[in-house]
Amino acid sequence: MFYKWPLTLYYDGACPLCAREIAFLRKRSTEARLCLVDIRSPDFDPTPLGLTVAQLTSCLHARFASGQWVTGLDATLWAWRAANAAVWVAPLAWRPLRPLLEVCYRLFCRLRPSLHWLPHPDGASRCSSGASKCDTR
């Protein structure tokens, strides 16, 4: 497969764990290698991608400039590679571990929506405007 930079990573900015990972990736990457798109942003429109927000939140999605899509663990692996931090996620590329990691990732994807109670790295700034992303349950 031919991968052409930059990689565009579509992430859920309302997810506390996702936001922490994105903050780390943002510090280590450049726009020439990694573009970050918050799918919870009010101005995000998934229509040109041919996907829905529900599909994008089901697992991590990323797209290379060449049009090649990667999802799930592969999206994570390539995003960290784009940020020159691949050493931290190297086990994601180890074939013997992939089946176990895939099961763990699918479990995480199912549990992730229930993690809204975790503190978000943006803290109170997320809740100060009228267009709050905070869950008030």
Side-chain angles (χ1 to χ4, degrees):
M1 290 185 198
F2 176 69
Y3 300 108
K4 183 179 176 189
W5 303 110
L7 176 72
T8 301
L9 184 67
Y10 298 91
Y11 71 95
D12 182 354
C15 169
L17 294 176
C18 303
R20 281 179 169 62
E21 181 177 359
I22 294 304
F24 175 83
L25 293 174
R26 183 174 279 126
K27 288 178 190 173
R28 300 201 45 131
S29 66
T30 64
E31 286 187 22
R33 300 244 325 162
L34 184 63
C35 298
L36 302 167
V37 176
D38 183 354
I39 62 173
R40 298 295 183 173
S41 173
D43 58 343
F44 175 71
D45 179 16
T47 308
L49 302 174
L51 298 169
T52 64
V53 171
Q55 288 171 309
L56 290 168
T57 58
S58 68
C59 73
L60 195 58
H61 286 70
R63 187 175 184 183
F64 284 94
S66 59
Q68 177 70 37
W69 283 94
V70 288
T71 59
L73 292 176
D74 290 327
T76 301
L77 176 63
W78 280 102
W80 284 64
R81 284 177 176 171
N84 296 313
V87 69
W88 295 101
V89 293
L92 297 181
W94 298 347
R95 287 194 189 273
L97 285 180
R98 282 299 285 224
L100 174 63
L101 294 173
E102 287 286 348
V103 168
C104 292
Y105 183 79
R106 278 184 258 137
L107 178 63
F108 168 74
C109 287
R110 288 182 188 209
L111 295 176
R112 188 180 66 82
S114 66
L115 300 177
H116 67 277
W117 56 270
L118 290 172
H120 196 281
D122 291 344
S125 66
R126 292 178 64 244
C127 302
S128 60
S129 71
S132 175
K133 293 181 184 177
C134 297
D135 189 5
T136 56
R137 286 187 240 180

PDB file of all heavy atoms in Angstrom, residues 43-56:
ATOM      1  N   ASP A  43     -18.615  22.806  13.505  1.00  0.00           N
ATOM      2  CA  ASP A  43     -18.473  23.044  12.072  1.00  0.00           C
ATOM      3  C   ASP A  43     -17.991  21.814  11.290  1.00  0.00           C
ATOM      4  O   ASP A  43     -17.734  21.902  10.097  1.00  0.00           O
ATOM      5  CB  ASP A  43     -17.551  24.235  11.815  1.00  0.00           C
ATOM      6  CG  ASP A  43     -16.174  24.060  12.417  1.00  0.00           C
ATOM      7  OD1 ASP A  43     -16.006  23.201  13.292  1.00  0.00           O
ATOM      8  OD2 ASP A  43     -15.256  24.799  12.012  1.00  0.00           O
ATOM      9  N   PHE A  44     -17.908  20.663  11.950  1.00  0.00           N
ATOM     10  CA  PHE A  44     -17.491  19.447  11.245  1.00  0.00           C
ATOM     11  C   PHE A  44     -18.663  18.847  10.473  1.00  0.00           C
ATOM     12  O   PHE A  44     -19.745  18.661  11.011  1.00  0.00           O
ATOM     13  CB  PHE A  44     -16.943  18.400  12.233  1.00  0.00           C
ATOM     14  CG  PHE A  44     -16.616  17.092  11.574  1.00  0.00           C
ATOM     15  CD1 PHE A  44     -15.523  16.979  10.729  1.00  0.00           C
ATOM     16  CD2 PHE A  44     -17.424  15.989  11.775  1.00  0.00           C
ATOM     17  CE1 PHE A  44     -15.234  15.780  10.103  1.00  0.00           C
ATOM     18  CE2 PHE A  44     -17.137  14.778  11.156  1.00  0.00           C
ATOM     19  CZ  PHE A  44     -16.039  14.675  10.318  1.00  0.00           C
ATOM     20  N   ASP A  45     -18.438  18.531   9.209  1.00  0.00           N
ATOM     21  CA  ASP A  45     -19.445  17.900   8.358  1.00  0.00           C
ATOM     22  C   ASP A  45     -18.863  16.614   7.781  1.00  0.00           C
ATOM     23  O   ASP A  45     -17.941  16.669   6.959  1.00  0.00           O
ATOM     24  CB  ASP A  45     -19.858  18.847   7.236  1.00  0.00           C
ATOM     25  CG  ASP A  45     -20.883  18.237   6.291  1.00  0.00           C
ATOM     26  OD1 ASP A  45     -21.509  17.216   6.650  1.00  0.00           O
ATOM     27  OD2 ASP A  45     -21.056  18.785   5.188  1.00  0.00           O
ATOM     28  N   PRO A  46     -19.384  15.450   8.176  1.00  0.00           N
ATOM     29  CA  PRO A  46     -18.835  14.190   7.684  1.00  0.00           C
ATOM     30  C   PRO A  46     -19.301  13.816   6.273  1.00  0.00           C
ATOM     31  O   PRO A  46     -18.781  12.873   5.680  1.00  0.00           O
ATOM     32  CB  PRO A  46     -19.345  13.175   8.703  1.00  0.00           C
ATOM     33  CG  PRO A  46     -20.645  13.739   9.150  1.00  0.00           C
ATOM     34  CD  PRO A  46     -20.447  15.228   9.154  1.00  0.00           C
ATOM     35  N   THR A  47     -20.258  14.539   5.726  1.00  0.00           N
ATOM     36  CA  THR A  47     -20.841  14.199   4.429  1.00  0.00           C
ATOM     37  C   THR A  47     -19.796  14.004   3.323  1.00  0.00           C
ATOM     38  O   THR A  47     -19.859  13.004   2.607  1.00  0.00           O
ATOM     39  CB  THR A  47     -21.885  15.252   4.014  1.00  0.00           C
ATOM     40  OG1 THR A  47     -22.817  15.426   5.079  1.00  0.00           O
ATOM     41  CG2 THR A  47     -22.616  14.831   2.758  1.00  0.00           C
ATOM     42  N   PRO A  48     -18.811  14.911   3.152  1.00  0.00           N
ATOM     43  CA  PRO A  48     -17.825  14.712   2.085  1.00  0.00           C
ATOM     44  C   PRO A  48     -16.998  13.430   2.245  1.00  0.00           C
ATOM     45  O   PRO A  48     -16.443  12.921   1.280  1.00  0.00           O
ATOM     46  CB  PRO A  48     -16.918  15.938   2.173  1.00  0.00           C
ATOM     47  CG  PRO A  48     -17.716  16.957   2.900  1.00  0.00           C
ATOM     48  CD  PRO A  48     -18.618  16.202   3.815  1.00  0.00           C
ATOM     49  N   LEU A  49     -16.933  12.911   3.467  1.00  0.00           N
ATOM     50  CA  LEU A  49     -16.167  11.689   3.721  1.00  0.00           C
ATOM     51  C   LEU A  49     -16.955  10.435   3.357  1.00  0.00           C
ATOM     52  O   LEU A  49     -16.390   9.349   3.268  1.00  0.00           O
ATOM     53  CB  LEU A  49     -15.764  11.610   5.199  1.00  0.00           C
ATOM     54  CG  LEU A  49     -14.936  12.767   5.741  1.00  0.00           C
ATOM     55  CD1 LEU A  49     -14.743  12.614   7.248  1.00  0.00           C
ATOM     56  CD2 LEU A  49     -13.599  12.841   5.021  1.00  0.00           C
ATOM     57  N   GLY A  50     -18.278  10.586   3.199  1.00  0.00           N
ATOM     58  CA  GLY A  50     -19.117   9.427   2.932  1.00  0.00           C
ATOM     59  C   GLY A  50     -19.386   8.610   4.177  1.00  0.00           C
ATOM     60  O   GLY A  50     -19.745   7.430   4.097  1.00  0.00           O
ATOM     61  N   LEU A  51     -19.193   9.218   5.334  1.00  0.00           N
ATOM     62  CA  LEU A  51     -19.408   8.554   6.622  1.00  0.00           C
ATOM     63  C   LEU A  51     -20.313   9.421   7.487  1.00  0.00           C
ATOM     64  O   LEU A  51     -20.508  10.598   7.215  1.00  0.00           O
ATOM     65  CB  LEU A  51     -18.067   8.341   7.341  1.00  0.00           C
ATOM     66  CG  LEU A  51     -17.046   7.444   6.650  1.00  0.00           C
ATOM     67  CD1 LEU A  51     -15.700   7.544   7.336  1.00  0.00           C
ATOM     68  CD2 LEU A  51     -17.522   6.001   6.640  1.00  0.00           C
ATOM     69  N   THR A  52     -20.818   8.824   8.552  1.00  0.00           N
ATOM     70  CA  THR A  52     -21.606   9.566   9.528  1.00  0.00           C
ATOM     71  C   THR A  52     -20.766   9.754  10.792  1.00  0.00           C
ATOM     72  O   THR A  52     -19.764   9.057  10.987  1.00  0.00           O
ATOM     73  CB  THR A  52     -22.891   8.805   9.900  1.00  0.00           C
ATOM     74  OG1 THR A  52     -22.524   7.583  10.554  1.00  0.00           O
ATOM     75  CG2 THR A  52     -23.739   8.505   8.666  1.00  0.00           C
ATOM     76  N   VAL A  53     -21.201  10.672  11.645  1.00  0.00           N
ATOM     77  CA  VAL A  53     -20.512  10.861  12.924  1.00  0.00           C
ATOM     78  C   VAL A  53     -20.585   9.569  13.740  1.00  0.00           C
ATOM     79  O   VAL A  53     -19.612   9.182  14.390  1.00  0.00           O
ATOM     80  CB  VAL A  53     -21.087  12.061  13.708  1.00  0.00           C
ATOM     81  CG1 VAL A  53     -20.525  12.122  15.116  1.00  0.00           C
ATOM     82  CG2 VAL A  53     -20.782  13.361  12.963  1.00  0.00           C
ATOM     83  N   ALA A  54     -21.711   8.871  13.676  1.00  0.00           N
ATOM     84  CA  ALA A  54     -21.837   7.594  14.405  1.00  0.00           C
ATOM     85  C   ALA A  54     -20.794   6.592  13.930  1.00  0.00           C
ATOM     86  O   ALA A  54     -20.187   5.879  14.743  1.00  0.00           O
ATOM     87  CB  ALA A  54     -23.238   7.034  14.233  1.00  0.00           C
ATOM     88  N   GLN A  55     -20.565   6.524  12.628  1.00  0.00           N
ATOM     89  CA  GLN A  55     -19.544   5.618  12.115  1.00  0.00           C
ATOM     90  C   GLN A  55     -18.155   6.050  12.572  1.00  0.00           C
ATOM     91  O   GLN A  55     -17.329   5.213  12.937  1.00  0.00           O
ATOM     92  CB  GLN A  55     -19.586   5.572  10.584  1.00  0.00           C
ATOM     93  CG  GLN A  55     -20.792   4.844  10.035  1.00  0.00           C
ATOM     94  CD  GLN A  55     -20.908   5.004   8.531  1.00  0.00           C
ATOM     95  OE1 GLN A  55     -20.853   6.116   8.005  1.00  0.00           O
ATOM     96  NE2 GLN A  55     -21.083   3.887   7.842  1.00  0.00           N
ATOM     97  N   LEU A  56     -17.905   7.347  12.565  1.00  0.00           N
ATOM     98  CA  LEU A  56     -16.600   7.853  12.973  1.00  0.00           C
ATOM     99  C   LEU A  56     -16.343   7.653  14.463  1.00  0.00           C
ATOM    100  O   LEU A  56     -15.192   7.525  14.876  1.00  0.00           O
ATOM    101  CB  LEU A  56     -16.464   9.327  12.601  1.00  0.00           C
ATOM    102  CG  LEU A  56     -16.345   9.615  11.103  1.00  0.00           C
ATOM    103  CD1 LEU A  56     -16.509  11.103  10.831  1.00  0.00           C
ATOM    104  CD2 LEU A  56     -15.024   9.108  10.559  1.00  0.00           C
TER     105      LEU A  56
END
